[in-house]
Amino acid sequence: MCGIVGAVAERDVVPILIEGLRRLEYRGYDSAGVAVIDEEGVLQRLRLPGKVDGLADALKGQELAGYTGIAHTRWATHGRPSGNNAHPHVCRNTVAVVHNGIIENHEALRRSQLARDHLFTSETDTEVIVHQVHDYLHEGCDLLEAVRSTASDLEGAFALGVVTDREPDRLVAARQGSPLVIGVGIGEHFIASDVAALLPVTRRFIFLEEGDIADITRERVVIYDAEGNKVTRPVRDSELSADSVERGEFRHYMLKEIHEQPRAIADTLEGRISAGRLLEASLGHEAGAVLDQVRRITIVACGTSYHAGMVARYWFEGIAGVPCSVEVASEFRYREPIPEDGNLLVLMSQSGETADTLAALREARRTGFADYTLAICNVPESSLVRETDLVLMTRAGPEIGVASTKAFTTQLVSLLLLVIAVGRRHRLAHSGQEESIVAALKQLPGQVERAVELNSQIEVMAGHFAEKRHALFLGRGPHFPVAMEGALKLKEISYIHAEAYPAGELKHGPLALVDSEMPVITVAPNDSLLEKLKSNLQEVRARGGELFVFAGKGIHMDNGDHVLELDAVDAVTSPILYTVPLQLLAYHVAVLKGTDVDQPRNLAKSVTVE
Ligand code: G6P
């Protein structure tokens, strides 16, 4: 989950590489570096611990320039964040490599390279790659051959960019298990971990496939598949524009993305509902035949996407009348789940590149666990989208803040569309609920807009948290996963320890923690579980706990509670609406604490390692 950029051009590529790194910083940001072949044909490198801005500042005092180069922003796996562990890694000042992924056999390679007198200057798994490429070059291979031979020596996952002073106009890239795209310019070519990095210089992209190696110069790109055959991969035009990933007037991407939710939800619905009904063809022309066979749902995902799946379980079972199980991908992939007929495996992922989620998909395929697979994803060109039978795209637009917001709410909207599509063949066929769900979905952008308008009141509420060390989130029914998502947001960006519990579980343990130092946050919509929830809140008050409640319109709470009212909302779409104030609460607490909201410590947005 590091970020890679590379370029071969007829102009100085350093500014392009640095801008690319800035746009990839969501993938990792503990150190950054750049290497170029300068005008004299000498390999020059600068790398530093810390963020890309630090590297950019350091570059101001240096004459680092060149027409061919690679750059990297790191999320540490092997070896702590430090200058020595930062990429690019270099061997004998003749080859430089940037790498995203994990090399599993690096210890064995390291041993044999030590025996060949290589010096190791880092603790990374990556360094073995550069020594390996060097040795093949030394044996007389050209850069393409050297990278190809190296790739076949490597076990694990990698996206690579490699340059050498021996062939100063050439860049070789390889992809196996980690994403990599080629940007096609006029008389110049680029590589990057994702299209966002290159939008300022091109909107035309080639998406490398698993096992591909690309030989890139200014004039041409030649791609070879895993078997070494020359292959043609299509050039696609991206619909994204460079400023679609800019922060605008907002202080943080996260705040911008929270505010974008009304539009993102409306976009996700566009063209998919009409005349009070779901337009099933919008799920793809093959969807109908597949859905006819579906008897049960398994949802697999990580992080926030997993929470979306947990909400959807209530919907699939309660609305569609279809059994549904939900599991985190890192567990699912190592379990031995029993295949069942008519099982639809739904993979949820904002990025579509999460290593565990992709592995779960591949494992399920291998074992025949599910008859059909469907991705709910936000990145059209991602691996997940390319590997599943059916795809339902969320249309949230690029999400940059590491803490996911608009991706989550649009995932929920997409899931609800899927619930309708599946449910039509089951309970929903008789309940007549489809029109009311569609009507509720149509109201959602406006309701979310009004929830976002609570921003300044939530900012005041956040003032009560900044000094706290722990927080407890409570919810019931589909609002329990919403509480989990609220707790995750708070811990990710404010570093306050937060836990979520089903409110009914309070008395089985967490109640022991409740005192005046433990803020208890809850969502209390006007639903069938409200009275039960209220009893649970009494248990908190009786122990001196301070309650922060996001409540349905007109719901009466005690005087001592901090209460904010939300719009009246349909019970089905309620979990989507109640997510929004919890996002804002976490955001404002983090701002008050002065943490790095968009790039919280130790985390990364796209987790492409296991
Ligand atoms: C990381 C991100 C989370 C995200 C999770 C799953 O942990 O920081 O925000 O929910 O990965 O990512 P995905 O792209 O698969 O939804």
Side-chain angles (χ1 to χ4, degrees):
M1 8 194 292
C2 308
I4 288 178
V5 203
V8 259
E10 268 177 296
R11 50 176 164 157
D12 178 19
V13 297
V14 172
I16 298 171
L17 298 178
I18 296 298
E19 178 57 24
L21 287 188
R22 280 208 175 93
R23 290 163 173 266
L24 287 179
E25 228 178 0
Y26 71 87
R27 300 178 63 85
Y29 35 80
D30 60 47
S31 53
V34 56
V36 292
I37 316 288
D38 73 9
E39 263 185 74
E40 271 81 52
V42 178
L43 182 61
Q44 304 280 1
R45 166 178 70 161
L46 183 67
R47 51 190 189 144
L48 291 173
K51 296 198 171 189
V52 175
D53 275 346
L55 179 70
D57 286 346
L59 279 167
K60 283 183 195 145
Q62 308 228 356
E63 305 246 314
L64 195 84
Y67 293 172
T68 301
I70 50 178
H72 188 270
T73 177
R74 179 168 183 254
W75 185 81
T77 55
H78 292 70
R80 74 211 142 81
S82 71
N84 272 0
N85 288 336
H87 301 215
H89 287 281
V90 162
C91 182
R92 298 181 209 256
N93 216 46
T94 193
V95 198
V97 166
V98 285
H99 165 224
N100 169 29
I102 287 184
I103 305 304
E104 287 173 346
N105 59 336
H106 72 105
E107 281 173 0
L109 289 168
R110 187 182 264 246
R111 276 195 296 279
S112 71
Q113 292 172 352
L114 283 168
R116 301 201 300 269
D117 286 337
H118 280 295
L119 281 180
F120 280 82
T121 56
S122 78
E123 305 151 314
T124 65
D125 53 339
T126 303
E127 205 176 344
V128 298
I129 305 174
V130 75
H131 294 321
Q132 206 73 357
V133 175
H134 169 273
D135 288 359
Y136 284 116
L137 286 173
H138 195 65
E139 284 171 16
C141 292
D142 69 359
L143 185 61
L144 174 66
E145 273 313 310
V147 173
R148 183 180 285 151
S149 301
T150 300
S152 62
D153 294 337
L154 302 176
E155 288 166 22
F158 50 84
L160 301 177
V162 190
V163 295
T164 174
D165 61 354
R166 296 183 185 194
E167 298 175 69
D169 302 320
R170 199 174 195 185
L171 164 64
V172 175
R175 178 204 159 127
Q176 184 171 304
S178 298
L180 200 62
V181 300
I182 296 174
V184 179
I186 300 168
E188 52 188 16
H189 288 109
F190 313 93
I191 60 166
S193 300
D194 97 24
V195 296
L198 301 177
L199 289 172
V201 285
T202 185
R203 290 173 73 175
R204 304 183 68 222
F205 295 95
I206 299 170
F207 295 90
L208 292 183
E209 299 200 358
E210 287 298 285
D212 281 357
I213 295 189
D215 183 13
I216 305 166
T217 62
R218 286 198 284 274
E219 298 79 25
R220 58 168 178 74
V221 174
V222 184
I223 301 172
Y224 301 88
D225 67 12
E227 279 73 50
N229 305 312
K230 215 185 255 192
V231 285
T232 308
R233 305 279 180 230
V235 179
R236 297 179 204 271
D237 290 325
S238 172
E239 285 169 15
L240 296 175
S241 64
D243 58 3
S244 60
V245 287
E246 276 171 17
R247 195 151 43 80
E249 84 256 29
F250 290 96
R251 186 165 165 200
H252 295 101
Y253 279 109
M254 182 180 177
L255 189 61
K256 173 181 179 242
E257 288 158 4
I258 291 172
H259 278 78
E260 282 173 346
Q261 289 178 111
R263 185 205 45 75
I265 291 170
D267 285 354
T268 300
L269 290 172
E270 195 188 311
R272 290 171 168 163
I273 51 175
S274 173
R277 291 181 60 78
L278 167 76
L279 295 174
E280 197 167 286
S282 68
L283 305 186
H285 58 270
E286 3 35 317
V290 169
L291 293 171
D292 285 346
Q293 311 301 319
V294 171
R295 300 283 171 274
R296 58 175 300 117
I297 307 282
T298 304
I299 303 178
V300 173
C302 303
T304 288
S305 299
Y306 167 67
H307 292 159
M310 285 193 63
V311 173
R313 181 173 58 183
Y314 291 87
W315 291 336
F316 277 113
E317 301 200 330
I319 299 170
V322 169
C324 174
S325 59
V326 188
E327 194 165 347
V328 286
S330 55
E331 285 300 312
F332 175 86
R333 65 182 287 192
Y334 292 113
R335 231 167 31 87
E336 291 175 36
I338 311 294
E340 276 179 80
D341 284 348
N343 190 8
L344 174 68
L345 178 66
V346 178
L347 292 310
M348 314 279 312
S349 176
Q350 186 285 129
S351 62
E353 301 294 350
T354 301
D356 282 320
T357 308
L358 286 171
L361 164 65
R362 292 168 190 158
E363 189 57 19
R365 276 254 163 77
R366 193 184 64 75
T367 58
F369 171 73
D371 290 328
Y372 312 99
T373 59
L374 181 147
I376 294 186
C377 188
N378 196 39
V379 180
E381 305 87 2
S382 61
S383 305
L384 188 66
V385 166
R386 279 184 275 132
E387 291 185 33
T388 41
D389 302 325
L390 298 177
V391 173
L392 184 46
M393 293 307 302
T394 49
R395 298 177 187 146
E399 192 182 64
I400 306 295
V402 165
S404 185
T405 52
K406 60 179 180 170
F408 179 72
T409 44
T410 54
Q411 280 173 343
L412 289 176
V413 167
S414 306
L415 280 161
L416 207 38
L417 296 177
L418 185 62
V419 168
I420 296 175
V422 173
R424 274 178 178 177
R425 284 134 173 111
H426 300 270
R427 186 182 298 155
L428 204 57
H430 321 291
S431 69
Q433 218 188 332
E434 174 164 345
E435 291 202 355
S436 73
I437 299 173
V438 170
L441 278 169
K442 282 171 77 175
Q443 285 180 10
L444 201 52
Q447 290 164 333
V448 169
E449 184 89 59
R450 287 186 287 284
V452 173
E453 284 164 11
L454 294 174
N455 188 36
S456 46
Q457 294 172 63
I458 296 174
E459 189 176 359
V460 173
M461 201 186 238
H464 298 275
F465 285 79
E467 303 303 318
K468 302 287 191 222
R469 308 218 18 230
H470 307 276
L472 192 59
F473 286 70
L474 300 177
R476 272 187 173 264
H479 297 88
F480 163 51
V482 168
M484 292 174 77
E485 177 58 11
L488 178 64
K489 289 285 86 83
L490 189 70
K491 64 188 146 198
E492 279 178 312
I493 60 171
S494 78
Y495 315 148
I496 291 175
H497 167 226
E499 278 195 74
Y501 264 88
E505 271 292 292
L506 194 61
K507 52 192 165 300
H508 298 294
L511 199 53
L513 299 171
V514 171
D515 62 14
S516 58
E517 283 309 297
M518 172 72 90
V520 178
I521 302 105
T522 188
V523 288
N526 213 339
D527 63 11
S528 58
L529 293 169
L530 178 64
E531 289 313 314
K532 308 262 177 221
L533 179 73
K534 280 183 160 180
S535 315
N536 301 136
L537 300 187
Q538 286 299 358
E539 297 160 8
V540 172
R541 288 188 199 100
R543 272 87 191 167
E546 193 176 6
L547 273 169
F548 297 82
V549 188
F550 296 100
K553 220 174 195 60
I555 293 180
H556 178 73
M557 289 287 158
D558 270 23
N559 284 343
D561 301 341
H562 307 268
V563 185
L564 278 180
E565 267 192 9
L566 273 82
D567 267 15
V569 61
D570 190 281
V572 175
T573 45
S574 169
I576 309 176
L577 180 66
Y578 278 81
T579 300
V580 177
L582 299 183
Q583 297 167 341
L584 283 167
L585 183 65
Y587 171 78
H588 286 297
V589 175
V591 170
L592 284 171
K593 289 197 72 181
T595 60
D596 191 338
V597 171
D598 286 330
Q599 295 173 342
R601 69 183 182 200
N602 306 342
L603 302 180
K605 179 127 195 94
S606 181
V607 183
T608 54
V609 294
E610 185 173 349

